Amino acid sequence: MESIGHLADVILASKRLVIFTGAGVSTESGIPDFRSPKGLWARYDPSDFSYQNFIASRDARMRYWQAGREIYATIRHAKPNAAHLAMAELERLGLLDAIITQNVDNLHQTAGVSPERVIELHGNATRVRCLSCGRPFSRDEIQARLEHGEAIPACALPCGGIIKPATILFGEAMPVRETMEAERRARGADTFIVVGSSLVVFPAAMMPLHAKEAGATLAIVNLEPTPYDDQADILIHGKAGEVMDWVLQMVKARIPHLAPSTSAGRQPTARA
Ligand code: NAD
């Protein structure tokens, strides 16, 4: 509780708050992470998610789409949880500079964070693109084709090119613009909060180090220890939804005009 109050104070004093999220921020929305015991690596072979295999082998593409069909069915129906909603509320309070996310589930945007403040380091699973002609597809359309029995969906003829979700596979180059922007925001942050990341996937996991090196206060909120816990100024081992909701409530309680007794007055009211 003490560190949650401390984090709320730091957020309120912050001029540039950057939040860095990983798969752990979405597990409370029902989307498994990779490395927890019930995570995706317990059920799938990571080599089916390698860019090189995806491009080179029809079999690998077939296995990728089999897994993708199952994973996307979960992502598509997932709803933002208390952590996503707390972050969106921090933006509404004027306290958020940016969210750098490793997630591909679009839940920060669904929660109401302005898309221009969400930097997606590993892409977004709701979009698909043809690697030959660049034609865009919605992932929902491709999902319908998979559910109708297509094993390896391809671009329309005469192109017939390989289509691929707009997510970054293992071995694939990081998106240049997003990576540079994330690094710039991390270095510009005065407060940097990691939420729900094992901090073992690089180069994404460099972001907290960039922030710390540039002088930010570093907070880590994660269920399990991470390799950077000893660098954190504030370390909270707990569930992202609970912790971020408590942090938000403490932030709001410290903003005088948002104190609970007056909060009803924030609702828009009709004027005579
Ligand atoms: P990870 O699976 O390596 O680590 C997740 C971390 O979150 C773990 O340390 C775990 O202890 C913690 N965690 C799990 N549930 C939590 C909760 N409720 N509250 C707080 N912490 C919790 O995930 P990562 O660090 O993001 O790296 C893996 C890669 O997986 C990323 O590149 C990401 O793109 C991808 N991924 C994304 C999604 C998604 O979009 N939701 C899902 C799975 C994997």
Side-chain angles (χ1 to χ4, degrees), residues 114-149:
S114 314
E116 62 276 13
R117 288 194 195 272
V118 182
I119 303 166
E120 295 174 316
L121 282 178
H122 295 163
N124 185 304
T126 65
R127 298 189 297 272
V128 174
R129 198 174 60 81
C130 172
L131 298 183
S132 300
C133 71
R135 178 176 164 175
F137 297 84
S138 89
R139 182 68 175 80
D140 284 347
E141 175 193 339
I142 302 304
Q143 188 75 358
R145 285 169 57 180
L146 291 166
E147 282 165 6
H148 278 93

mmCIF file of all heavy atoms in Angstrom, residues 114-149:
data_model
loop_
_atom_site.group_PDB
_atom_site.id
_atom_site.type_symbol
_atom_site.label_atom_id
_atom_site.label_comp_id
_atom_site.label_asym_id
_atom_site.label_seq_id
_atom_site.Cartn_x
_atom_site.Cartn_y
_atom_site.Cartn_z
ATOM 1 N N SER A 114 -5.898 7.610 -26.502
ATOM 2 C CA SER A 114 -5.799 8.136 -27.866
ATOM 3 C C SER A 114 -4.784 7.320 -28.644
ATOM 4 O O SER A 114 -3.659 7.117 -28.163
ATOM 5 C CB SER A 114 -5.329 9.588 -27.864
ATOM 6 O OG SER A 114 -6.040 10.309 -26.917
ATOM 7 N N PRO A 115 -5.147 6.872 -29.852
ATOM 8 C CA PRO A 115 -4.226 6.031 -30.627
ATOM 9 C C PRO A 115 -2.852 6.669 -30.808
ATOM 10 O O PRO A 115 -1.836 5.971 -30.814
ATOM 11 C CB PRO A 115 -4.940 5.867 -31.973
ATOM 12 C CG PRO A 115 -6.386 6.072 -31.659
ATOM 13 C CD PRO A 115 -6.439 7.042 -30.515
ATOM 14 N N GLU A 116 -2.811 8.014 -30.925
ATOM 15 C CA GLU A 116 -1.502 8.647 -31.158
ATOM 16 C C GLU A 116 -0.591 8.578 -29.930
ATOM 17 O O GLU A 116 0.602 8.818 -30.019
ATOM 18 C CB GLU A 116 -1.644 10.089 -31.664
ATOM 19 C CG GLU A 116 -2.332 11.069 -30.737
ATOM 20 C CD GLU A 116 -3.866 11.034 -30.845
ATOM 21 O OE1 GLU A 116 -4.414 10.094 -31.441
ATOM 22 O OE2 GLU A 116 -4.500 11.975 -30.310
ATOM 23 N N ARG A 117 -1.160 8.222 -28.784
ATOM 24 C CA ARG A 117 -0.317 8.065 -27.581
ATOM 25 C C ARG A 117 0.107 6.615 -27.367
ATOM 26 O O ARG A 117 0.810 6.307 -26.421
ATOM 27 C CB ARG A 117 -1.071 8.531 -26.334
ATOM 28 C CG ARG A 117 -1.229 10.026 -26.256
ATOM 29 C CD ARG A 117 -1.658 10.453 -24.860
ATOM 30 N NE ARG A 117 -2.140 11.804 -24.889
ATOM 31 C CZ ARG A 117 -1.363 12.873 -24.740
ATOM 32 N NH1 ARG A 117 -0.075 12.748 -24.540
ATOM 33 N NH2 ARG A 117 -1.880 14.081 -24.793
ATOM 34 N N VAL A 118 -0.380 5.697 -28.204
ATOM 35 C CA VAL A 118 -0.035 4.280 -28.028
ATOM 36 C C VAL A 118 1.024 3.892 -29.069
ATOM 37 O O VAL A 118 0.766 3.938 -30.271
ATOM 38 C CB VAL A 118 -1.277 3.372 -28.191
ATOM 39 C CG1 VAL A 118 -0.899 1.903 -27.944
ATOM 40 C CG2 VAL A 118 -2.393 3.794 -27.248
ATOM 41 N N ILE A 119 2.193 3.540 -28.589
ATOM 42 C CA ILE A 119 3.270 3.145 -29.498
ATOM 43 C C ILE A 119 3.379 1.622 -29.450
ATOM 44 O O ILE A 119 3.700 1.042 -28.407
ATOM 45 C CB ILE A 119 4.609 3.797 -29.081
ATOM 46 C CG1 ILE A 119 4.436 5.319 -29.036
ATOM 47 C CG2 ILE A 119 5.733 3.395 -30.028
ATOM 48 C CD1 ILE A 119 5.572 6.033 -28.321
ATOM 49 N N GLU A 120 3.049 0.988 -30.552
ATOM 50 C CA GLU A 120 3.006 -0.484 -30.604
ATOM 51 C C GLU A 120 4.317 -1.014 -31.155
ATOM 52 O O GLU A 120 4.579 -0.940 -32.349
ATOM 53 C CB GLU A 120 1.833 -0.931 -31.482
ATOM 54 C CG GLU A 120 0.487 -0.538 -30.895
ATOM 55 C CD GLU A 120 -0.679 -0.848 -31.821
ATOM 56 O OE1 GLU A 120 -0.572 -0.560 -33.036
ATOM 57 O OE2 GLU A 120 -1.687 -1.361 -31.328
ATOM 58 N N LEU A 121 5.128 -1.560 -30.257
ATOM 59 C CA LEU A 121 6.451 -2.038 -30.686
ATOM 60 C C LEU A 121 6.376 -3.327 -31.486
ATOM 61 O O LEU A 121 7.255 -3.606 -32.304
ATOM 62 C CB LEU A 121 7.340 -2.271 -29.465
ATOM 63 C CG LEU A 121 7.948 -1.032 -28.835
ATOM 64 C CD1 LEU A 121 8.769 -1.432 -27.616
ATOM 65 C CD2 LEU A 121 8.807 -0.261 -29.829
ATOM 66 N N HIS A 122 5.345 -4.135 -31.202
ATOM 67 C CA HIS A 122 5.260 -5.441 -31.866
ATOM 68 C C HIS A 122 4.046 -5.550 -32.773
ATOM 69 O O HIS A 122 3.602 -6.642 -33.096
ATOM 70 C CB HIS A 122 5.255 -6.564 -30.813
ATOM 71 C CG HIS A 122 6.550 -6.647 -30.049
ATOM 72 N ND1 HIS A 122 6.689 -7.306 -28.853
ATOM 73 C CD2 HIS A 122 7.784 -6.146 -30.330
ATOM 74 C CE1 HIS A 122 7.948 -7.195 -28.423
ATOM 75 N NE2 HIS A 122 8.618 -6.495 -29.298
ATOM 76 N N GLY A 123 3.520 -4.401 -33.185
ATOM 77 C CA GLY A 123 2.430 -4.397 -34.155
ATOM 78 C C GLY A 123 1.063 -4.570 -33.530
ATOM 79 O O GLY A 123 0.877 -4.395 -32.317
ATOM 80 N N ASN A 124 0.090 -4.930 -34.399
ATOM 81 C CA ASN A 124 -1.307 -4.983 -33.973
ATOM 82 C C ASN A 124 -1.996 -6.144 -34.702
ATOM 83 O O ASN A 124 -1.915 -6.244 -35.926
ATOM 84 C CB ASN A 124 -1.963 -3.643 -34.323
ATOM 85 C CG ASN A 124 -3.377 -3.542 -33.815
ATOM 86 O OD1 ASN A 124 -4.224 -4.376 -34.116
ATOM 87 N ND2 ASN A 124 -3.643 -2.515 -33.032
ATOM 88 N N ALA A 125 -2.628 -7.003 -33.916
ATOM 89 C CA ALA A 125 -3.187 -8.248 -34.477
ATOM 90 C C ALA A 125 -4.510 -8.037 -35.197
ATOM 91 O O ALA A 125 -5.028 -8.989 -35.780
ATOM 92 C CB ALA A 125 -3.380 -9.269 -33.351
ATOM 93 N N THR A 126 -5.052 -6.829 -35.166
ATOM 94 C CA THR A 126 -6.359 -6.629 -35.816
ATOM 95 C C THR A 126 -6.221 -6.324 -37.303
ATOM 96 O O THR A 126 -7.217 -6.191 -38.001
ATOM 97 C CB THR A 126 -7.176 -5.505 -35.131
ATOM 98 O OG1 THR A 126 -6.478 -4.260 -35.306
ATOM 99 C CG2 THR A 126 -7.367 -5.774 -33.648
ATOM 100 N N ARG A 127 -4.971 -6.188 -37.761
ATOM 101 C CA ARG A 127 -4.760 -5.881 -39.180
ATOM 102 C C ARG A 127 -3.901 -6.951 -39.836
ATOM 103 O O ARG A 127 -3.047 -7.565 -39.191
ATOM 104 C CB ARG A 127 -4.066 -4.526 -39.336
ATOM 105 C CG ARG A 127 -4.861 -3.350 -38.801
ATOM 106 C CD ARG A 127 -4.200 -2.035 -39.186
ATOM 107 N NE ARG A 127 -2.872 -1.885 -38.609
ATOM 108 C CZ ARG A 127 -2.629 -1.364 -37.411
ATOM 109 N NH1 ARG A 127 -3.615 -0.937 -36.665
ATOM 110 N NH2 ARG A 127 -1.391 -1.262 -36.965
ATOM 111 N N VAL A 128 -4.101 -7.128 -41.155
ATOM 112 C CA VAL A 128 -3.350 -8.116 -41.942
ATOM 113 C C VAL A 128 -2.960 -7.422 -43.245
ATOM 114 O O VAL A 128 -3.661 -6.518 -43.709
ATOM 115 C CB VAL A 128 -4.245 -9.351 -42.243
ATOM 116 C CG1 VAL A 128 -3.550 -10.338 -43.174
ATOM 117 C CG2 VAL A 128 -4.655 -10.053 -40.946
ATOM 118 N N ARG A 129 -1.826 -7.835 -43.830
ATOM 119 C CA ARG A 129 -1.374 -7.174 -45.066
ATOM 120 C C ARG A 129 -0.741 -8.216 -45.983
ATOM 121 O O ARG A 129 -0.110 -9.172 -45.519
ATOM 122 C CB ARG A 129 -0.339 -6.102 -44.687
ATOM 123 C CG ARG A 129 -0.077 -5.046 -45.736
ATOM 124 C CD ARG A 129 0.855 -3.979 -45.176
ATOM 125 N NE ARG A 129 2.141 -4.524 -44.768
ATOM 126 C CZ ARG A 129 3.143 -4.776 -45.607
ATOM 127 N NH1 ARG A 129 3.017 -4.524 -46.884
ATOM 128 N NH2 ARG A 129 4.264 -5.277 -45.162
ATOM 129 N N CYS A 130 -0.913 -7.988 -47.287
ATOM 130 C CA CYS A 130 -0.248 -8.866 -48.256
ATOM 131 C C CYS A 130 1.213 -8.441 -48.376
ATOM 132 O O CYS A 130 1.507 -7.261 -48.583
ATOM 133 C CB CYS A 130 -0.930 -8.764 -49.620
ATOM 134 S SG CYS A 130 -0.004 -9.648 -50.896
ATOM 135 N N LEU A 131 2.114 -9.392 -48.258
ATOM 136 C CA LEU A 131 3.542 -9.059 -48.303
ATOM 137 C C LEU A 131 4.002 -8.766 -49.729
ATOM 138 O O LEU A 131 5.069 -8.193 -49.935
ATOM 139 C CB LEU A 131 4.378 -10.206 -47.715
ATOM 140 C CG LEU A 131 4.122 -10.542 -46.242
ATOM 141 C CD1 LEU A 131 5.051 -11.645 -45.766
ATOM 142 C CD2 LEU A 131 4.273 -9.302 -45.356
ATOM 143 N N SER A 132 3.192 -9.134 -50.758
ATOM 144 C CA SER A 132 3.588 -8.856 -52.145
ATOM 145 C C SER A 132 3.053 -7.523 -52.631
ATOM 146 O O SER A 132 3.807 -6.676 -53.081
ATOM 147 C CB SER A 132 3.085 -9.967 -53.078
ATOM 148 O OG SER A 132 3.636 -11.191 -52.688
ATOM 149 N N CYS A 133 1.728 -7.324 -52.528
ATOM 150 C CA CYS A 133 1.146 -6.101 -53.112
ATOM 151 C C CYS A 133 0.766 -5.072 -52.052
ATOM 152 O O CYS A 133 0.365 -3.963 -52.393
ATOM 153 C CB CYS A 133 -0.061 -6.443 -53.982
ATOM 154 S SG CYS A 133 -1.505 -6.987 -53.019
ATOM 155 N N GLY A 134 0.855 -5.423 -50.779
ATOM 156 C CA GLY A 134 0.571 -4.451 -49.715
ATOM 157 C C GLY A 134 -0.903 -4.305 -49.396
ATOM 158 O O GLY A 134 -1.279 -3.514 -48.529
ATOM 159 N N ARG A 135 -1.756 -5.069 -50.073
ATOM 160 C CA ARG A 135 -3.202 -4.917 -49.833
ATOM 161 C C ARG A 135 -3.538 -5.195 -48.364
ATOM 162 O O ARG A 135 -3.114 -6.213 -47.811
ATOM 163 C CB ARG A 135 -3.958 -5.899 -50.730
ATOM 164 C CG ARG A 135 -5.445 -5.840 -50.516
ATOM 165 C CD ARG A 135 -6.186 -6.742 -51.470
ATOM 166 N NE ARG A 135 -7.530 -6.930 -50.979
ATOM 167 C CZ ARG A 135 -8.474 -7.596 -51.617
ATOM 168 N NH1 ARG A 135 -8.208 -8.139 -52.780
ATOM 169 N NH2 ARG A 135 -9.678 -7.708 -51.100
ATOM 170 N N PRO A 136 -4.304 -4.264 -47.738
ATOM 171 C CA PRO A 136 -4.686 -4.507 -46.333
ATOM 172 C C PRO A 136 -5.962 -5.348 -46.218
ATOM 173 O O PRO A 136 -6.831 -5.283 -47.084
ATOM 174 C CB PRO A 136 -4.935 -3.091 -45.800
ATOM 175 C CG PRO A 136 -5.334 -2.298 -46.992
ATOM 176 C CD PRO A 136 -4.754 -2.943 -48.221
ATOM 177 N N PHE A 137 -6.043 -6.142 -45.187
ATOM 178 C CA PHE A 137 -7.245 -6.920 -44.867
ATOM 179 C C PHE A 137 -7.528 -6.688 -43.391
ATOM 180 O O PHE A 137 -6.609 -6.452 -42.610
ATOM 181 C CB PHE A 137 -6.999 -8.426 -45.033
ATOM 182 C CG PHE A 137 -6.660 -8.848 -46.439
ATOM 183 C CD1 PHE A 137 -5.353 -8.765 -46.896
ATOM 184 C CD2 PHE A 137 -7.638 -9.348 -47.287
ATOM 185 C CE1 PHE A 137 -5.027 -9.164 -48.189
ATOM 186 C CE2 PHE A 137 -7.319 -9.751 -48.577
ATOM 187 C CZ PHE A 137 -6.013 -9.656 -49.029
ATOM 188 N N SER A 138 -8.794 -6.809 -42.993
ATOM 189 C CA SER A 138 -9.052 -6.796 -41.549
ATOM 190 C C SER A 138 -8.836 -8.224 -41.046
ATOM 191 O O SER A 138 -9.096 -9.193 -41.764
ATOM 192 C CB SER A 138 -10.466 -6.307 -41.246
ATOM 193 O OG SER A 138 -11.362 -7.390 -41.249
ATOM 194 N N ARG A 139 -8.393 -8.337 -39.804
ATOM 195 C CA ARG A 139 -8.144 -9.672 -39.256
ATOM 196 C C ARG A 139 -9.459 -10.423 -39.089
ATOM 197 O O ARG A 139 -9.495 -11.651 -39.210
ATOM 198 C CB ARG A 139 -7.409 -9.532 -37.914
ATOM 199 C CG ARG A 139 -7.035 -10.830 -37.242
ATOM 200 C CD ARG A 139 -5.968 -11.581 -38.026
ATOM 201 N NE ARG A 139 -5.532 -12.771 -37.318
ATOM 202 C CZ ARG A 139 -6.189 -13.938 -37.293
ATOM 203 N NH1 ARG A 139 -7.313 -14.065 -37.950
ATOM 204 N NH2 ARG A 139 -5.707 -14.960 -36.624
ATOM 205 N N ASP A 140 -10.550 -9.649 -38.867
ATOM 206 C CA ASP A 140 -11.853 -10.305 -38.738
ATOM 207 C C ASP A 140 -12.222 -11.028 -40.036
ATOM 208 O O ASP A 140 -12.763 -12.129 -40.019
ATOM 209 C CB ASP A 140 -12.945 -9.282 -38.382
ATOM 210 C CG ASP A 140 -12.871 -8.875 -36.920
ATOM 211 O OD1 ASP A 140 -12.158 -9.540 -36.135
ATOM 212 O OD2 ASP A 140 -13.533 -7.879 -36.555
ATOM 213 N N GLU A 141 -11.909 -10.376 -41.183
ATOM 214 C CA GLU A 141 -12.222 -11.006 -42.474
ATOM 215 C C GLU A 141 -11.414 -12.299 -42.646
ATOM 216 O O GLU A 141 -11.942 -13.333 -43.048
ATOM 217 C CB GLU A 141 -11.880 -10.010 -43.601
ATOM 218 C CG GLU A 141 -12.055 -10.580 -44.975
ATOM 219 C CD GLU A 141 -11.421 -9.701 -46.068
ATOM 220 O OE1 GLU A 141 -11.204 -8.487 -45.839
ATOM 221 O OE2 GLU A 141 -11.118 -10.265 -47.137
ATOM 222 N N ILE A 142 -10.140 -12.227 -42.281
ATOM 223 C CA ILE A 142 -9.285 -13.419 -42.421
ATOM 224 C C ILE A 142 -9.746 -14.505 -41.452
ATOM 225 O O ILE A 142 -9.760 -15.689 -41.788
ATOM 226 C CB ILE A 142 -7.801 -13.059 -42.180
ATOM 227 C CG1 ILE A 142 -7.361 -11.967 -43.174
ATOM 228 C CG2 ILE A 142 -6.901 -14.282 -42.276
ATOM 229 C CD1 ILE A 142 -7.567 -12.321 -44.637
ATOM 230 N N GLN A 143 -10.169 -14.080 -40.248
ATOM 231 C CA GLN A 143 -10.670 -15.055 -39.262
ATOM 232 C C GLN A 143 -11.882 -15.798 -39.841
ATOM 233 O O GLN A 143 -11.985 -17.018 -39.710
ATOM 234 C CB GLN A 143 -11.062 -14.314 -37.961
ATOM 235 C CG GLN A 143 -11.415 -15.224 -36.804
ATOM 236 C CD GLN A 143 -10.183 -15.885 -36.170
ATOM 237 O OE1 GLN A 143 -9.059 -15.703 -36.621
ATOM 238 N NE2 GLN A 143 -10.403 -16.679 -35.147
ATOM 239 N N ALA A 144 -12.760 -15.067 -40.503
ATOM 240 C CA ALA A 144 -13.950 -15.711 -41.096
ATOM 241 C C ALA A 144 -13.505 -16.730 -42.144
ATOM 242 O O ALA A 144 -14.064 -17.833 -42.227
ATOM 243 C CB ALA A 144 -14.852 -14.650 -41.710
ATOM 244 N N ARG A 145 -12.490 -16.385 -42.942
ATOM 245 C CA ARG A 145 -12.004 -17.331 -43.965
ATOM 246 C C ARG A 145 -11.409 -18.581 -43.298
ATOM 247 O O ARG A 145 -11.625 -19.706 -43.760
ATOM 248 C CB ARG A 145 -10.968 -16.631 -44.858
ATOM 249 C CG ARG A 145 -11.634 -15.668 -45.836
ATOM 250 C CD ARG A 145 -10.663 -14.754 -46.547
ATOM 251 N NE ARG A 145 -9.622 -15.435 -47.284
ATOM 252 C CZ ARG A 145 -8.671 -14.822 -47.986
ATOM 253 N NH1 ARG A 145 -8.669 -13.490 -48.072
ATOM 254 N NH2 ARG A 145 -7.750 -15.512 -48.615
ATOM 255 N N LEU A 146 -10.656 -18.374 -42.210
ATOM 256 C CA LEU A 146 -10.085 -19.536 -41.494
ATOM 257 C C LEU A 146 -11.216 -20.419 -40.964
ATOM 258 O O LEU A 146 -11.168 -21.645 -41.068
ATOM 259 C CB LEU A 146 -9.204 -19.070 -40.319
ATOM 260 C CG LEU A 146 -7.893 -18.362 -40.675
ATOM 261 C CD1 LEU A 146 -7.311 -17.667 -39.443
ATOM 262 C CD2 LEU A 146 -6.868 -19.347 -41.247
ATOM 263 N N GLU A 147 -12.235 -19.753 -40.424
ATOM 264 C CA GLU A 147 -13.343 -20.529 -39.847
ATOM 265 C C GLU A 147 -14.158 -21.250 -40.921
ATOM 266 O O GLU A 147 -14.840 -22.229 -40.636
ATOM 267 C CB GLU A 147 -14.222 -19.622 -38.978
ATOM 268 C CG GLU A 147 -13.552 -19.370 -37.632
ATOM 269 C CD GLU A 147 -14.139 -18.222 -36.827
ATOM 270 O OE1 GLU A 147 -15.161 -17.642 -37.245
ATOM 271 O OE2 GLU A 147 -13.556 -17.893 -35.771
ATOM 272 N N HIS A 148 -14.052 -20.771 -42.177
ATOM 273 C CA HIS A 148 -14.729 -21.470 -43.281
ATOM 274 C C HIS A 148 -13.834 -22.537 -43.900
ATOM 275 O O HIS A 148 -14.163 -23.085 -44.942
ATOM 276 C CB HIS A 148 -15.190 -20.478 -44.347
ATOM 277 C CG HIS A 148 -16.494 -19.825 -43.993
ATOM 278 N ND1 HIS A 148 -16.580 -18.622 -43.332
ATOM 279 C CD2 HIS A 148 -17.770 -20.254 -44.157
ATOM 280 C CE1 HIS A 148 -17.850 -18.327 -43.114
ATOM 281 N NE2 HIS A 148 -18.593 -19.305 -43.607
ATOM 282 N N GLY A 149 -12.690 -22.795 -43.290
ATOM 283 C CA GLY A 149 -11.900 -23.947 -43.714
ATOM 284 C C GLY A 149 -10.623 -23.649 -44.478
ATOM 285 O O GLY A 149 -9.889 -24.569 -44.831
#
